[in-house]
Amino acid sequence: MITTVLMIEKPLVSADVELVTTLHGDEQVSFVVLMQPRGDQDRLLRALDDVALGELEEAVREGDEPSGGAAERALDVSLKQLREAGTEAVGQLIEEHPLQVLTSVAEETSADEVIVLTAPHLVEEFFHRDWASRARHKVGVPVLKLFAHTE
Protein backbone atom coordinates (compact mmCIF):
# COMPACT_ATOMS: atom_id res chain seq x y z
CA MET A 1 0.00 0.00 0.00
CA ILE A 2 1.22 3.48 -0.89
CA THR A 3 0.90 6.09 1.84
CA THR A 4 0.37 9.60 0.52
CA VAL A 5 0.29 12.78 2.55
CA LEU A 6 -2.06 15.11 0.68
CA MET A 7 -1.82 18.81 1.53
CA ILE A 8 -4.82 20.91 0.47
CA GLU A 9 -6.18 24.41 1.06
CA LYS A 10 -9.70 23.96 -0.35
CA PRO A 11 -12.16 21.06 -0.41
CA LEU A 12 -11.48 18.47 -3.08
CA VAL A 13 -13.76 18.42 -6.10
CA SER A 14 -14.51 15.23 -8.02
CA ALA A 15 -11.80 15.90 -10.63
CA ASP A 16 -9.20 16.27 -7.85
CA VAL A 17 -10.31 13.01 -6.24
CA GLU A 18 -10.07 11.18 -9.56
CA LEU A 19 -6.62 12.67 -10.21
CA VAL A 20 -5.04 11.72 -6.88
CA THR A 21 -6.70 8.30 -6.62
CA THR A 22 -5.61 7.16 -10.09
CA LEU A 23 -1.97 8.30 -10.04
CA HIS A 24 -0.75 4.82 -9.09
CA GLY A 25 -3.02 2.73 -11.27
CA ASP A 26 -4.42 -0.29 -9.44
CA GLU A 27 -2.18 -0.01 -6.36
CA GLN A 28 -3.93 0.64 -3.06
CA VAL A 29 -3.38 4.13 -1.68
CA SER A 30 -3.88 5.45 1.82
CA PHE A 31 -4.24 9.21 2.25
CA VAL A 32 -3.39 11.42 5.19
CA VAL A 33 -5.01 14.74 4.32
CA LEU A 34 -3.66 17.93 5.83
CA MET A 35 -5.82 20.95 5.24
CA GLN A 36 -4.61 24.44 5.90
CA PRO A 37 -6.95 27.06 4.56
CA ARG A 38 -5.13 30.10 3.28
CA GLY A 39 -5.41 32.73 5.99
CA ASP A 40 -5.54 36.50 6.07
CA GLN A 41 -1.74 36.64 5.96
CA ASP A 42 -1.86 35.34 2.38
CA ARG A 43 -4.66 37.56 1.11
CA LEU A 44 -2.38 40.03 -0.70
CA LEU A 45 -0.40 37.25 -2.39
CA ARG A 46 -3.63 35.56 -3.52
CA ALA A 47 -4.95 38.84 -4.92
CA LEU A 48 -1.70 39.37 -6.85
CA ASP A 49 -1.93 35.83 -8.21
CA ASP A 50 -5.52 36.42 -9.31
CA VAL A 51 -4.56 39.65 -11.09
CA ALA A 52 -1.57 37.95 -12.76
CA LEU A 53 -3.86 35.16 -13.99
CA GLY A 54 -6.40 37.68 -15.30
CA GLU A 55 -9.02 36.61 -12.75
CA LEU A 56 -10.02 40.05 -11.52
CA GLU A 57 -13.33 38.89 -10.04
CA GLU A 58 -11.45 36.38 -7.89
CA ALA A 59 -9.15 39.13 -6.62
CA VAL A 60 -12.08 40.95 -5.05
CA ARG A 61 -13.58 37.76 -3.52
CA GLU A 62 -10.52 36.70 -1.53
CA GLY A 63 -12.48 36.62 1.73
CA ASP A 64 -14.40 33.54 0.54
CA GLU A 65 -11.74 31.02 1.62
CA PRO A 66 -12.90 28.37 4.10
CA SER A 67 -11.94 28.98 7.72
CA GLY A 68 -13.02 27.73 11.13
CA GLY A 69 -16.13 25.54 10.89
CA ALA A 70 -16.20 25.85 7.10
CA ALA A 71 -12.67 24.45 6.92
CA GLU A 72 -13.65 21.50 9.14
CA ARG A 73 -16.62 20.75 6.85
CA ALA A 74 -14.41 21.09 3.77
CA LEU A 75 -11.98 18.56 5.23
CA ASP A 76 -14.83 16.18 6.10
CA VAL A 77 -16.22 16.41 2.55
CA SER A 78 -12.79 15.75 1.08
CA LEU A 79 -12.22 12.70 3.29
CA LYS A 80 -15.66 11.33 2.44
CA GLN A 81 -14.99 11.66 -1.29
CA LEU A 82 -11.64 9.90 -1.01
CA ARG A 83 -13.22 7.04 0.94
CA GLU A 84 -16.05 6.74 -1.57
CA ALA A 85 -13.38 6.39 -4.27
CA GLY A 86 -12.17 3.27 -2.46
CA THR A 87 -9.16 4.59 -0.56
CA GLU A 88 -8.34 4.87 3.11
CA ALA A 89 -8.33 8.48 4.26
CA VAL A 90 -7.77 10.31 7.53
CA GLY A 91 -7.07 13.98 8.00
CA GLN A 92 -6.61 17.01 10.15
CA LEU A 93 -6.76 20.78 9.98
CA ILE A 94 -3.51 22.67 10.34
CA GLU A 95 -3.71 25.93 12.21
CA GLU A 96 -0.03 26.90 12.24
CA HIS A 97 3.37 25.75 10.99
CA PRO A 98 2.17 23.68 8.01
CA LEU A 99 5.61 22.50 6.93
CA GLN A 100 6.54 21.32 10.42
CA VAL A 101 3.27 19.38 10.64
CA LEU A 102 3.77 18.00 7.12
CA THR A 103 7.29 16.83 7.98
CA SER A 104 6.25 15.14 11.22
CA VAL A 105 3.21 13.46 9.63
CA ALA A 106 5.34 12.19 6.73
CA GLU A 107 7.82 10.71 9.22
CA GLU A 108 5.18 9.25 11.58
CA THR A 109 3.26 7.55 8.77
CA SER A 110 6.35 6.44 6.81
CA ALA A 111 4.82 8.23 3.83
CA ASP A 112 5.92 7.21 0.36
CA GLU A 113 5.14 10.61 -1.12
CA VAL A 114 3.64 14.03 -0.55
CA ILE A 115 1.15 15.63 -2.91
CA VAL A 116 0.54 19.36 -2.61
CA LEU A 117 -2.75 20.17 -4.31
CA THR A 118 -3.32 23.93 -4.49
CA ALA A 119 -4.48 26.69 -6.75
CA PRO A 120 -1.69 28.37 -8.73
CA HIS A 121 0.29 30.81 -6.56
CA LEU A 122 2.47 32.57 -9.12
CA VAL A 123 4.18 35.00 -6.76
CA GLU A 124 5.09 32.34 -4.22
CA GLU A 125 6.15 29.86 -6.90
CA PHE A 126 8.38 32.44 -8.60
CA PHE A 127 10.28 32.93 -5.34
CA HIS A 128 10.07 29.21 -4.43
CA ARG A 129 8.09 30.04 -1.27
CA ASP A 130 5.13 27.80 -2.10
CA TRP A 131 4.44 24.71 0.03
CA ALA A 132 5.75 22.22 -2.52
CA SER A 133 9.07 24.01 -3.10
CA ARG A 134 9.68 24.39 0.62
CA ALA A 135 8.55 20.82 1.41
CA ARG A 136 11.02 19.31 -1.06
CA HIS A 137 13.84 20.43 1.23
CA LYS A 138 12.27 19.07 4.42
CA VAL A 139 10.25 15.87 4.10
CA GLY A 140 12.71 13.37 2.63
CA VAL A 141 10.22 11.78 0.21
CA PRO A 142 9.14 12.78 -3.31
CA VAL A 143 6.90 15.86 -3.41
CA LEU A 144 4.48 16.29 -6.30
CA LYS A 145 2.74 19.59 -6.90
CA LEU A 146 -0.63 19.49 -8.64
CA PHE A 147 -3.07 22.27 -9.39
CA ALA A 148 -6.51 21.92 -7.86
CA HIS A 149 -9.60 22.07 -10.03
CA THR A 150 -12.59 24.32 -9.46
CA GLU A 151 -16.20 23.50 -10.14
Side-chain angles (χ1 to χ4, degrees):
M1 175 164 308
I2 296 173
T3 301
T4 300
V5 178
L6 177 61
M7 190 164 204
I8 62 175
E9 61 189 7
K10 292 183 176 185
L12 298 175
V13 298
S14 58
D16 296 330
V17 172
E18 182 178 349
L19 178 63
V20 298
T21 59
T22 60
L23 282 174
H24 296 287
D26 293 334
E27 289 191 63
Q28 287 288 91
V29 181
S30 169
F31 289 97
V32 179
V33 181
L34 303 177
M35 179 170 190
Q36 186 192 27
R38 309 275 295 181
D40 288 338
Q41 73 276 10
D42 298 320
R43 188 173 286 171
L44 176 59
L45 289 174
R46 289 193 317 265
L48 289 172
D49 287 337
D50 291 338
V51 170
L53 292 168
E55 298 173 353
L56 300 179
E57 287 187 30
E58 291 294 321
V60 297
R61 291 194 338 229
E62 279 301 331
D64 296 344
E65 297 293 322
S67 62
E72 187 77 42
R73 287 188 300 278
L75 176 60
D76 290 343
V77 166
S78 297
L79 293 173
K80 181 181 178 198
Q81 288 184 43
L82 288 167
R83 290 176 188 138
E84 287 174 352
T87 66
E88 294 179 14
V90 297
Q92 70 184 62
L93 284 179
I94 302 174
E95 300 295 328
E96 297 177 358
H97 311 293
L99 293 175
Q100 288 176 350
V101 173
L102 174 63
T103 302
S104 65
V105 167
E107 289 172 1
E108 291 167 9
T109 62
S110 300
D112 296 297
E113 66 184 357
V114 169
I115 297 175
V116 178
L117 184 70
T118 67
H121 299 295
L122 300 177
V123 174
E124 292 175 55
E125 290 168 24
F126 180 78
F127 292 106
H128 302 284
R129 302 301 303 155
D130 60 298
W131 288 340
S133 295
R134 292 168 49 200
R136 285 186 181 107
H137 302 287
K138 292 188 178 267
V139 296
V141 297
V143 176
L144 177 62
K145 176 168 183 151
L146 300 173
F147 291 120
H149 293 82
T150 56
E151 287 201 58

